[in-house]
């Protein structure tokens, strides 16, 4: 028995003087295949375009008239081209926002584009966008607001049927959907079919989420579902574009729910959480989610966008960057310019991995999982340290000194999120200098430091829940940003 416990404790089997590592097993909750596919997307667009665009509001009351929706030169192919050129992997559209107006000719309401002047009421914007996404090789996702300030039955049980019927339309008629976005904001005053009153709902029970989720699973089994609390992806906890320095993908799922008041407390996730529910960072490129002409000169600068990218994608999250389409029905020129510059910056930064071709030395290696997997460009191969290695280290001494300013490291997610803290050191003029100390890693950690000539680099894991399993390591030189 004692011997057995010893094996369990060390994870190794000692046969004479030869040590055989126990087989590598996943640790804690792990992503399923559709979460993994989503995780690899990293950067994609949100588009807020709807009735609010034409009333110049953020939240319509629900009493707007369909004839107010009247874009002059709407072109979903332009949206898709802009997203593609920006390096984004998909688009999520506000099919229906809180004001209840629908961008598709839903057969369950008159409050939709079918009663608008656009294309004489014959258009279907969701269809046009789904087609454009397909043409440009982008994934397509939908936002459907649970709160509906237009619908007469909102707050009553019958509204749930209406909401689910709309969901069925969106998930049946437009091909593959990669993400379904359920907003946490719901309940309050509104038009409600002319009642003009305040309607509050119990956010936990009113929507009977388990049944709604089942509908998504049946109609779009590959889709990930976003809400404040998941089930597949959770909110990062703010709308500024910044994930927590410590970001665990696991959470105790029952500890959070959509619209809960103290959500912030859970933004970092939980080291020993029971479910894999990674964060998504949603932020708008302008102050508002919707287009307002007075914000034309408030489009986020390229350096701000770069900062957001590093603090979302580079902090174990994904970046859902919102583009408010304007009253013409186009992504505004100011957005287009900054997105292009961001894409150029990212391409210049991440195309050449300076660690490639250099010799890696690791403190230990589990047989079959060699260090070279870290730089083979294959996310599916990985390096594994040994169980008895309490401070796993990767060291690179360069053939010749080189200039760098960006470090990247990725855990192999199918084995779970393991690393609790790490240190990054650089070798400068023959001396090891501590450059950065960080906590979690997860899907990706990006570390920026001042541009300098270095002779080597050392990455040390200080604390880990189990053997370290890393799929990818990179060292880069980002160009200088001249602007602002
Ligand atoms: C929030 C909404 O209330 C905003 O209008 C916006 O849609 C944002 C993405 O989510 O909860």
């Amino acid at each position: 028995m004692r011997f057995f416990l010893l094996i369990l404790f060390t994870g190794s089997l000692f046969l004479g003087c030869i040590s055989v590592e126990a087989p590598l097993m996943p640790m804690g909750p792990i992503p399923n295949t559709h979460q993994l596919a989503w995780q690899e997307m990293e950067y994609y667009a949100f588009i807020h375009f709807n009735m609010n665009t034409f009333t110049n509001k953020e939240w319509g009351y629900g009493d707007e008239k369909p004839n107010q929706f009247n874009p002059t030169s709407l072109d979903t192919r332009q949206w898709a081209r802009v997203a593609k050129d920006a390096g984004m992997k998909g688009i999520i559209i506000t099919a229906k926002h809180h004001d209840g107006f629908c961008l598709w000719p839903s057969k369950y309401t008159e409050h939709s584009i079918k009663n608008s002047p656009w294309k004489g009421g014959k258009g279907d914007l969701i269809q046009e966008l789904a087609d454009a996404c397909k043409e440009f090789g982008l994934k397509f996702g939908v936002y459907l607001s649970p709160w509906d300030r237009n619908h007469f039955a909102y707050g009553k049980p019958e509204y749930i049927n209406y909401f689910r019927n709309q969901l069925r339309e969106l998930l049946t008629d437009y091909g593959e959907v990669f993400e379904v976005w359920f907003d946490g904001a719901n309940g309050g005053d509104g038009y409600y079919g002319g009642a003009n009153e305040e309607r509050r709902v119990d956010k936990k029970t009113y929507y009977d989420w388990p049944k709604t989720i089942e509908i998504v699973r049946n109609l779009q089994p590959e889709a990930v579902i976003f809400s404040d609390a998941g089930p597949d992806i959770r909110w990062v906890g703010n709308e500024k574009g910044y994930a927590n320095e410590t970001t665990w993908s696991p959470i105790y799922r029952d500890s959070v729910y959509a619209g809960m008041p103290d959500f912030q407390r859970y933004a970092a996730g939980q080291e020993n959480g029971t479910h894999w529910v990674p964060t998504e960072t949603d932020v708008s490129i302008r102050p508002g989610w919707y287009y307002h002409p007075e914000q034309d000169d408030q489009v986020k600068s390229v350096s701000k966008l770069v900062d957001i990218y590093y603090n979302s994608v580079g902090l174990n999250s994904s970046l859902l960057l919102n583009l408010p389409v304007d009253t013409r029905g186009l992504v505004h020129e100011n957005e287009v310019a900054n997105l292009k510059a961001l894409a150029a910056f990212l391409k210049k930064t991440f195309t050449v991995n300076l660690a490639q071709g250099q010799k890696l030395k690791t403190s230990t290696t589990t047989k079959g999982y060699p260090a070279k997997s870290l730089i083979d460009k294959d996310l599916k191969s990985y390096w594994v340290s040994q169980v008895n290695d309490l401070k796993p280290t990767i060291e690179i001494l360069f053939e010749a000194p080189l200039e760098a300013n960006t470090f990247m490291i990725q855990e192999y997610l199918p084995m779970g999120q393991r690393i609790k803290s790490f240190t990054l050191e650089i070798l400068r003029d023959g001396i090891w200098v501590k450059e950065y100390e960080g906590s979690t890693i997860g899907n990706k950690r990006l570390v920026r430091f001042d541009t300098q000539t270095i002779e080597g680099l050392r990455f040390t894991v200080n604390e880990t829940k189990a053997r370290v399993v890393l799929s990818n390591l990179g060292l880069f030189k980002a160009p200088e940003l001249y602007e602002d």
Side-chain angles (χ1 to χ4, degrees):
M1 181 64 180
R2 261 201 216 149
F3 178 64
F4 179 65
L5 284 178
L6 186 72
I7 293 172
L8 273 184
F9 179 64
T10 61
S12 311
L13 204 59
F14 292 94
L15 302 168
C17 58
I18 311 164
S19 153
V20 181
E21 292 285 311
L24 184 67
M25 300 292 281
M27 157 101 229
I30 55 168
N32 58 32
T33 49
H34 52 273
Q35 283 172 317
L36 262 186
W38 165 84
Q39 204 105 47
E40 282 180 29
M41 290 175 68
E42 292 188 346
Y43 174 40
Y44 42 97
F46 218 171
I47 284 189
H48 275 65
F49 176 70
N50 209 303
M51 185 57 86
N52 294 331
T53 313
F54 300 91
T55 53
N56 202 11
K57 284 187 181 160
E58 279 292 306
W59 281 12
Y61 188 69
D63 60 347
E64 299 77 17
K65 301 281 168 278
N67 65 13
Q68 289 174 270
F69 181 87
N70 194 11
T72 48
S73 40
L74 188 138
D75 181 4
T76 53
R77 293 183 71 251
Q78 187 250 5
W79 309 0
R81 195 179 320 111
V82 169
K84 185 77 184 179
D85 290 349
M88 293 165 155
K89 299 287 173 0
I91 297 180
I92 300 177
I93 174 77
T94 49
K96 179 187 90 168
H97 203 250
H98 309 327
D99 58 77
F101 185 76
C102 301
L103 293 182
W104 77 105
S106 170
K107 64 172 185 247
Y108 300 102
T109 181
E110 291 305 307
H111 200 53
S112 86
I113 49 157
K114 73 182 172 200
N115 291 316
S116 80
W118 180 64
K119 296 204 162 173
K122 299 274 176 284
D124 184 342
L125 205 152
I126 298 299
Q127 185 66 64
E128 290 194 10
L129 182 59
D131 291 346
C133 283
K134 214 177 206 168
E135 181 186 338
F136 286 85
L138 296 167
K139 294 192 181 183
F140 169 71
V142 289
Y143 166 115
L144 181 70
S145 172
W147 184 21
D148 191 319
R149 300 172 97 187
N150 173 265
H151 201 266
F152 68 95
Y154 182 78
K156 300 176 184 156
E158 59 193 289
Y159 170 76
I160 301 304
N161 288 335
Y162 172 73
F163 177 63
R164 288 184 182 153
N165 281 334
Q166 294 203 312
L167 188 61
R168 284 192 191 94
E169 286 182 323
L170 288 171
L171 302 184
T172 309
D173 299 343
Y174 302 102
E176 205 173 303
V177 169
F178 85 94
E179 181 168 335
V180 180
W181 219 92
F182 293 128
D183 206 306
N186 45 77
D189 62 348
Y191 174 68
Y192 305 126
N196 293 307
E197 60 188 15
E198 170 129 357
R199 292 189 184 172
R200 297 268 161 213
V201 297
D202 180 341
K203 292 176 182 179
K204 249 180 158 172
T205 57
Y206 176 58
Y207 297 99
D208 186 4
W209 283 114
K211 280 211 185 97
T212 306
I213 286 164
E214 217 177 285
I215 294 172
V216 182
R217 300 284 188 236
N218 287 335
L219 297 175
Q220 295 280 345
E222 303 293 312
V224 286
I225 302 175
F226 168 96
S227 89
D228 286 6
D232 302 324
I233 310 172
R234 70 180 202 265
W235 188 37
V236 77
N238 67 75
E239 292 178 340
K240 296 191 168 71
Y242 291 76
N244 252 62
E245 213 274 332
T246 297
T247 302
W248 289 101
S249 290
I251 56 165
Y252 298 109
R253 181 138 72 202
D254 294 340
S255 63
V256 285
Y257 64 90
M260 65 190 283
D262 54 350
F263 192 86
Q264 272 300 338
R265 279 208 295 138
Y266 298 90
Q270 290 133 346
E271 182 186 324
N272 296 312
T274 50
H275 291 75
W276 186 271
V277 191
T279 67
E280 179 182 78
T281 303
D282 61 324
V283 57
S284 187
I285 198 164
R286 294 180 177 224
W289 291 100
Y290 279 93
Y291 178 77
H292 307 292
E294 63 274 20
Q295 293 180 355
D296 277 353
D297 57 0
Q298 291 179 58
V299 174
K300 288 188 172 64
S301 67
V302 183
S303 53
K304 178 70 178 169
L305 292 172
V306 166
D307 204 48
I308 285 174
Y309 184 90
Y310 275 86
N311 283 286
S312 52
V313 174
L315 282 178
N316 190 26
S317 193
S318 67
L319 174 54
L320 174 58
L321 182 61
N322 180 62
L323 314 177
V325 162
D326 65 20
T327 46
R328 293 171 301 174
L330 299 172
V331 181
H332 191 273
E333 293 72 2
N334 294 356
E335 267 87 344
V336 175
N338 289 8
L339 287 169
K340 264 200 182 139
L342 172 67
F345 173 88
L346 294 176
K347 196 168 172 204
K348 268 200 190 135
T349 302
F350 293 110
T351 304
V352 178
N353 183 354
L354 301 167
Q356 210 94 42
Q358 305 283 359
K359 278 212 182 77
L360 303 189
K361 203 176 95 194
T362 52
S363 48
T364 59
T365 293
T366 295
K367 199 160 177 274
Y369 305 102
K372 66 171 195 276
S373 306
L374 290 164
I375 45 170
D376 64 2
K377 291 188 177 164
D378 181 1
L379 272 182
K380 293 191 176 63
S381 69
Y382 42 95
W383 165 69
V384 184
S385 64
Q386 282 186 6
V387 176
N388 54 9
D389 185 357
L390 299 180
K391 283 214 170 200
T393 302
I394 305 166
E395 193 177 291
I396 318 177
L397 298 177
F398 307 129
E399 301 237 320
L402 51 82
E403 271 206 329
N405 55 17
T406 307
F407 175 73
M408 179 194 77
I409 191 89
Q410 296 188 271
E411 284 190 81
Y412 179 69
L413 300 184
M415 286 295 153
Q417 195 180 340
R418 297 165 171 238
I419 295 172
K420 292 168 68 166
S421 66
F422 69 92
T423 302
L424 182 70
E425 293 161 285
I426 54 174
L427 185 62
R428 208 175 49 209
D429 301 327
I431 299 166
W432 284 105
V433 184
K434 189 190 285 180
E435 192 55 57
Y436 191 83
E437 281 206 54
S439 55
T440 51
I441 290 176
N443 185 52
K444 188 175 272 186
R445 173 63 93 124
L446 294 169
V447 176
R448 285 184 289 179
F449 50 90
D450 289 340
T451 308
Q452 51 200 299
T453 304
I454 59 179
E455 295 124 43
L457 180 138
R458 189 155 64 201
F459 170 80
T460 305
V461 175
N462 300 317
E463 269 186 294
T464 178
K465 293 175 73 179
R467 252 183 291 184
V468 163
V469 184
L470 291 165
S471 67
N472 216 356
L473 174 150
L475 180 67
F476 305 96
K477 187 179 172 229
E480 298 294 327
L481 271 173
Y482 302 103
E483 53 141 26
D484 310 339

